[in-house]
Amino acid sequence: MKRSTTTVLRLFLLAGATILASCSKDLSNQPVAVSSAQQSEDSGSPIPIVPPPMVVPADNPMSQVKVDLGRKLFFDPNVGVPFAHTTGPNAGKTLGVSCASCHQPDRAFSDHVAFSPGISDKVGTRNAPTLVNVGYFTTYTWDGKFETLEKHAPGPMFSAVEMGNNISSTKKAGGSLGYYESDPGSNDTLLMFKRIADGDNATYVTLFMNAFGDAQITLDRMVKAIACFERTIVSPGSPFDSYNRYLHQAGGSATAISESAKRGFKLFTDPAKANCISCHSGYNFTDGTFRNNGLAAVEGDTGRFIVTRKQTDKYCYRVPTLRNVAVTGPYMHDGRYATLAQVLANYRNGGMHSLNQDAAIKPLQLTDQDMADLLAFLNSLTDGQVTETHTEQMLAPRSQLSLQ
């Protein structure tokens, strides 16, 4: 593969303690509204000043020991079926694909190519989205086929295009196996467990013991640990967050973002101008819905229709978060746009008039200066803490964050 699977993020952000300490107790995910009294005259938008409660299943409460195990598994190429790499930085090596192969910390847990290479350098048809703030979402993947992180985690593991494992079962994918794409075969689940143990047995014995009371490796334990780790990938520290605190509460800075970015924020929220907020609303700059944003249809990929079978869902995809969007390109579900300028141009032009195009996608009367201001605002959503890489260790040092 063309990148290291041992790159580790600076795991916990300064504001993470408050967020995660409440995770195991509040399972709602309603946006936090800001009252009119809290809004500055020049804010232009009811952007929440605090994140919504994070969604944590009752059967998988957060704990530091599960986070430690999940982090180790996330960066472990032994979770994927090994193959001989012929290109990239791993050329000449035989190893598997890890979660971090496609969700790289220095790219805000996304990838820099339209389609990430998986087992035997196969590629799929959709772009790897960022995992930043993924714990706040209520659906996963571009078509929303999974409702929890725990249900999502096996998807890449048992994809014949991604990690290449097979279900240890005599049944083919479908039915009780849901959306997992694998078939029974020689690379089954039990061999994945063996690879993991053989790769770093002493460490995993300790991690599984700490997290679950014994050293047994099971798929249920793996996905719960990975989900716990993914819920710690939070991003509350962008320049815009500082400016937002200045607008709505004590602290923050009026100069945290440029004057151009401030104008871009007003355009972003103005229904008569860009009106981006009609889809990209709330703390994560997404309303979580599935929409057709005017892209030309890709043959064979009908989006949300694959899940719901509703004609009105054809070519509709989940509205992505815009946090850290400046570093998560290429863009759209199929990575068709290399730059944010191209994305903005699509919206200014009113899309491509495709089937089921959302009514909000229409030509915009925006000047070149407006476009530059919108771009400046989007750049202000980059959180340097979450994109900064950590030391080259498979297992980062334990955080001092206390999880309940």
Side-chain angles (χ1 to χ4, degrees):
M1 299 296 288
K2 58 186 180 304
R3 50 198 171 265
S4 170
T5 57
T6 61
T7 304
V8 184
L9 81 164
R10 176 170 295 171
L11 177 59
F12 296 110
L13 305 180
L14 185 61
T18 302
I19 298 171
L20 293 176
S22 64
C23 289
S24 61
K25 298 177 182 178
D26 192 339
L27 306 183
S28 67
N29 192 34
Q30 298 302 311
V32 179
V34 177
S35 70
S36 58
Q38 291 174 298
Q39 296 178 40
S40 166
E41 290 183 359
D42 69 342
S43 70
S45 169
I47 296 293
I49 58 174
V50 294
M54 192 174 285
V55 177
V56 179
D59 65 347
N60 190 26
M62 294 292 292
S63 71
Q64 181 64 62
V65 288
K66 276 192 287 187
V67 169
D68 289 343
L69 172 59
R71 184 198 303 115
K72 171 72 169 175
L73 290 166
F74 188 90
F75 288 96
D76 192 346
N78 288 312
V79 175
V81 175
F83 67 97
H85 293 253
T86 58
T87 61
N90 291 317
K93 298 179 181 178
T94 298
L95 72 165
V97 173
S98 71
C99 304
S101 295
C102 303
H103 297 283
Q104 303 153 39
D106 59 341
R107 304 286 303 192
F109 290 85
S110 67
D111 204 351
H112 71 288
V113 294
F115 307 123
S116 304
I119 184 171
S120 301
D121 291 325
K122 298 176 184 176
V123 294
T125 59
R126 294 181 182 173
N127 181 253
T130 177
L131 296 183
V132 171
N133 286 3
V134 74
Y136 298 120
F137 299 169
T138 55
T139 58
Y140 301 91
T141 72
W142 285 102
D143 57 23
K145 65 170 61 76
F146 300 114
E147 297 175 350
T148 67
L149 284 170
E150 287 78 3
K151 290 180 180 179
H152 172 267
M157 292 180 191
F158 298 107
S159 166
V161 176
E162 296 182 61
M163 292 183 172
N165 294 291
N166 300 109
I167 300 286
S168 290
S169 168
T170 58
K171 298 179 180 179
K172 289 189 175 182
S176 63
L177 298 181
Y179 292 98
Y180 307 135
E181 302 170 359
S182 68
D183 291 320
S186 58
N187 293 318
D188 70 13
T189 317
L190 300 181
L191 291 180
M192 176 175 67
F193 299 160
K194 185 177 187 300
R195 287 196 310 273
I196 291 169
D198 289 349
D200 193 354
N201 187 63
T203 301
Y204 274 118
V205 166
T206 299
L207 290 172
F208 275 95
M209 284 286 293
N210 290 343
F212 296 105
D214 62 61
Q216 183 180 8
I217 301 175
T218 69
L219 183 60
D220 180 68
R221 290 177 171 186
M222 288 177 63
V223 300
K224 284 181 176 178
I226 290 172
C228 282
F229 166 70
E230 290 174 336
R231 291 189 177 102
T232 68
I233 305 173
V234 293
S235 177
S238 71
F240 175 79
D241 288 305
S242 179
Y243 178 64
N244 193 47
R245 287 194 297 273
Y246 161 75
L247 292 175
H248 295 295
Q249 65 187 55
S253 170
T255 59
I257 64 176
S258 68
E259 293 303 314
S260 177
K262 292 175 185 178
R263 293 193 300 269
F265 180 39
K266 288 184 178 181
L267 290 165
F268 184 93
T269 59
D270 188 342
K273 289 293 186 177
N275 195 30
C276 309
I277 200 169
S278 64
C279 299
H280 294 281
S281 59
Y283 180 76
N284 280 317
F285 296 92
T286 173
D287 62 4
T289 59
F290 298 85
R291 306 194 189 207
N292 181 322
N293 60 354
L295 298 181
V298 176
E299 185 177 353
D301 187 348
T302 51
R304 180 70 168 164
F305 174 78
I306 296 171
V307 178
T308 66
R309 312 310 294 180
K310 295 179 180 178
Q311 292 296 320
T312 53
D313 283 336
K314 273 191 173 180
Y315 310 112
C316 294
Y317 299 87
R318 186 163 57 86
V319 176
T321 177
L322 295 183
R323 285 191 171 270
N324 297 283
V325 68
V327 298
T328 60
Y331 303 99
M332 306 300 183
H333 67 279
D334 56 5
R336 69 177 65 192
Y337 294 135
T339 68
L340 281 175
Q342 292 173 330
V343 173
L344 292 175
N346 172 72
Y347 291 124
R348 179 162 70 170
N349 295 336
M352 302 177 183
H353 309 292
S354 60
L355 177 68
N356 291 327
Q357 180 170 314
D358 194 275
I361 309 301
K362 54 189 177 182
L364 303 173
Q365 302 303 311
L366 299 175
T367 67
D368 289 346
Q369 183 61 58
D370 290 338
M371 298 288 276
D373 292 341
L374 281 168
L375 185 58
F377 165 67
L378 294 175
N379 282 322
S380 78
L381 299 177
T382 302
D383 184 346
Q385 289 178 287
V386 81
T387 59
E388 183 180 344
T389 56
H390 206 271
T391 55
E392 289 290 322
Q393 301 175 25
M394 181 63 74
L395 185 62
R398 287 176 59 90
S399 168
Q400 297 304 308
L401 178 62
S402 175
L403 299 177
Q404 299 178 1

